[in-house]
Amino acid sequence: MSADLMSEVSGRGALANIDGAAIKRAMAAVSTFEVRSLGLPIRNGEGPVGPRRQPPQHFMVRDGGDAAVAPARHGFSFSDDVLLIPTHGTTHMDALCHVWQDGTMYGGIPADLVTSRGAKRLGIEEAGPVVTRVLIVDAVPGGRPWLDVAEPVSVDHVRSLLDAAGLAPERGDALFLRTGWVDAWAAGAQNQLGWGGLDVDAVDWVLESGFSIIGADNIGVEMAPASDPTCAVPLHVRLLRDHGVYFVELLDLAGFEGAAVAGMLTLGPLNIVGATASPLAPVVVF
């Protein structure tokens, strides 16, 4: 691909579907002015995190003991700290440079542009801030606490819940699904090697609905192990790589049992140049 063609590929991908009408729709979803954070707590040495990733590390570089030993002038003192965290190490948004197939990323951009210094194209800095309507749906059927490992989310179940709530997906919306995996992980019932989530039969519906973002309270949004023996992450390939749909993972969806609700979602990925993802503190207003 020529440099001119590569420059024409928007790193916002499906986020370009979020136009003025989508933002107005998000604002119209606000009625009670309840503000909810959907970001998991970040604690030193604790997860959940995906396989091959380290948990966050939080270090104090100045604390109360330091102040007692070397007090500042005029009674003033302060504390300070450092956070080391994988970009995929807590609630986060994947960048479009995160996955590729047959040597190309979204828009046909060569994968070798992801170097040891970061991604030269499609890094998370190209996503920018997001305001759109989010549809939050409990995908766990029958009042169960969570989906089983590798249990597919029933698209028919999700659609029926949305229909019952009078909600119809529109171009630019986000979709967040509760699978219960974070609860299962906290209870010691499941681990980082498998979880329930979307299966490949959801691809067409996600695209037809015009979703710009899909997310879940599990590690990968799509179920693991995958039902496709030839691809470990078929939805990442077919949605993120092929169509620029952004993935938000490890959401905190506690309290949304039985839900099918809409709200105004705000996402502010960190402006990390060349990064394959960014930690997030998603906020939804109802």
Side-chain angles (χ1 to χ4, degrees), residues 91-227:
T91 305
H92 66 276
M93 174 188 249
D94 289 345
L96 296 185
C97 65
H98 178 44
V99 295
W100 53 81
Q101 179 78 20
D102 299 325
T104 58
M105 301 183 289
Y106 171 71
I109 292 178
D112 60 11
L113 290 183
V114 182
T115 74
S116 60
R117 294 179 179 271
K120 296 180 180 178
R121 278 301 322 273
L122 305 183
I124 197 62
E125 76 278 7
E126 296 190 33
V130 175
V131 176
T132 194
R133 186 177 71 153
V134 63
L135 306 179
I136 303 177
V137 183
D138 183 3
V140 183
R144 294 159 47 198
W146 46 69
L147 296 177
D148 294 332
V149 172
E151 179 179 354
V153 167
S154 167
V155 173
D156 287 341
H157 176 61
V158 172
R159 294 170 77 170
S160 67
L161 290 173
L162 290 173
D163 289 344
L167 297 171
E170 296 190 53
R171 181 180 173 88
D173 284 349
L175 173 70
F176 287 172
L177 297 174
R178 178 187 173 271
T179 70
W181 181 82
V182 168
D183 296 329
W185 174 83
Q190 295 183 25
N191 59 32
Q192 293 95 331
L193 300 181
W195 51 85
L198 289 173
D199 198 5
V200 290
D201 63 355
V203 169
D204 289 343
W205 178 67
V206 169
L207 295 176
E208 290 166 3
S209 300
F211 288 117
S212 58
I213 303 164
I214 58 173
D217 59 345
N218 60 24
I219 292 175
V221 183
E222 58 184 302
M223 71 184 207
S227 63

Side-chain angles (χ1 to χ4, degrees), residues 24-32 133-134 262-264 285-286:
K24 287 181 180 178
R25 187 167 62 250
M27 296 172 68
V30 177
S31 58
T32 63
R133 186 177 71 153
V134 63
M264 182 175 72
V285 185
F286 295 107

